[in-house]
């Protein structure tokens, strides 16, 4: 019978692309991972990896085995969660990944309720990003994550993960309330040629903004670049420039910001909750999922004012 621990090593090598990277991820030595891979190939009776220099790719047999591994791990996690459900006192560490400019407002009320019901749960908030959150959950670095997707609610299917779409909000042009455009009911990109921009160049939102300006025939004049949409909104509020952000992105109540619909911009931001399949049955994770979804449902019905 194949050893699950060796299968996990093969899965890590497939995800990381090299034995050295997989060893770091699993906290093993490189030689230990290499030896276990060789042993797994002997047990399977087939070559599972192709070694080319320091890079490794999976053979067709290796790909098939990793696909089975994902399903095996889902069942094992579900079994562990079922056993944990027999314990009347829910406890343990809950690691929650959030993009810190947006996540805490969604998560804080939900996790406060989890803490009230299950005071022995330790909650750890961990900074993550839209591009890394799903991978961190898949590798077991986080128990759950909440991320944003622009345009498409569902990402590429990842074996071993479960997702719930929590909310949808359109993108808006954000300007100071004293700005000449603040009273417009609709704005076009062509109206923004001479404006100073707060940009998020490394994010899908920043890339979308750059594309929108290019389609209008100009390159945005950048006043500042930031990594977080909440920070961008804050800089708009103190008059540094304008930005494009999801409508429900919170802002400091002291800041006066106008959010204006834009023509030719119908992209929607989707907030998505991600957990590992099987672990969603764990009492602490199931409680958190239910609370986050309930808070998000209330928020959709009656969005909080800035």
């Amino acid at each position: 019978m194949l050893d699950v621990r060796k299968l996990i090593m093969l899965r890590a090598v497939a995800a990381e692309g090299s034995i050295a990277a997989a060893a770091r991820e699993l906290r093993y030595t490189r030689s230990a991972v290499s030896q276990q891979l060789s042993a797994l190939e002997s047990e399977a009776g087939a070559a599972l990896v192709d070694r080319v220099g320091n890079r490794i790719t999976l053979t067709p047999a290796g790909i098939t085995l990793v696909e089975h591994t994902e399903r095996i791990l889902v069942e094992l996690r579900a079994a562990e969660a079922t056993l944990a459900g027999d314990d009347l006192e829910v406890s343990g560490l809950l690691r929650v990944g959030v993009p810190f400019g947006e996540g805490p407002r969604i998560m804080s009320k939900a996790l406060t309720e989890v803490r009230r019901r299950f005071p022995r749960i330790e909650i750890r908030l961990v900074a993550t990003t839209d591009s890394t959150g799903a991978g961190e959950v898949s590798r077991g670095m986080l128990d759950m994550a909440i991320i944003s997707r622009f345009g498409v609610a569902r990402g590429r299917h990842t074996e071993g993960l479960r997702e719930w779409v929590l909310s949808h909000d359109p993108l808006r042009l954000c300007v100071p309330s004293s700005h000449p455009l603040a009273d417009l009911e609709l704005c076009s990109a062509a109206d923004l040629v001479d404006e100073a921009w707060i940009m998020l160049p490394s994010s899908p939102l920043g890339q979308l903004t750059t594309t929108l300006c290019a389609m209008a025939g100009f390159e945005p004049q950048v006043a500042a670049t930031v990594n977080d949409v909440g920070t961008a909104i804050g800089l708009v509020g103190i008059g540094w420039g304008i930005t494009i952000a999801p409508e429900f992105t919170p802002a400091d109540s002291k800041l006066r910001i106008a959010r204006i619909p834009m023509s030719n911009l119908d992209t929607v931001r989707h907030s998505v909750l991600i957990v590992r399949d099987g672990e969603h049955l764990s009492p602490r994770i199931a409680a958190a999922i239910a609370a986050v979804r309930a808070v998000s449902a209330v928020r959709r019905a009656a969005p909080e004012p800035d």
Side-chain angles (χ1 to χ4, degrees), residues 103-153:
R105 176 168 289 199
I106 298 172
M107 302 295 287
S108 58
K109 289 184 178 180
L111 296 180
T112 297
E113 177 62 15
V114 173
R115 285 283 300 146
R116 185 189 68 78
R117 293 176 56 194
F118 306 109
R120 288 180 61 95
I121 287 181
E122 176 190 349
I123 296 173
R124 181 181 299 165
L125 292 178
V126 182
T128 190
T129 68
D130 297 334
S131 59
T132 62
E136 290 166 346
V137 172
S138 180
R139 295 194 298 274
M141 299 167 64
L142 299 171
D143 297 308
M144 60 172 54
I146 183 167
I147 66 169
S148 296
R149 292 200 181 113
F150 295 90
V152 179

Side-chain angles (χ1 to χ4, degrees), residues 63-82:
I63 293 171
T64 299
L65 197 52
V66 167
E67 291 172 351
H68 283 289
T69 299
E70 294 292 353
R71 291 192 287 272
I72 290 168
L73 292 177
V74 168
E75 293 300 324
L76 286 175
R77 289 194 291 263
E80 290 173 348
T82 300

Side-chain angles (χ1 to χ4, degrees), residues 84-104:
D86 292 336
D87 185 355
L88 296 179
E89 188 167 31
V90 178
S91 61
L93 175 64
L94 181 67
R95 301 162 301 168
V96 183
V98 290
F100 268 73
E102 176 70 6

Side-chain angles (χ1 to χ4, degrees), residues 2 21 27 47 59 76 157 168 179 192 210 219-220 247 258 272 305:
L2 298 176
R27 298 184 180 179
T59 65
L76 286 175
H157 175 69
H168 319 267
H179 194 282
L192 309 174
T210 300
E219 183 176 338
E247 186 171 38
V272 182

Side-chain angles (χ1 to χ4, degrees), residues 171-190:
L171 299 185
R172 296 290 186 246
L173 175 69
C174 299
V175 303
S177 58
S178 58
H179 194 282
L181 299 176
D183 294 329
L184 291 181
E185 294 185 359
L186 186 68
C187 180
S188 71

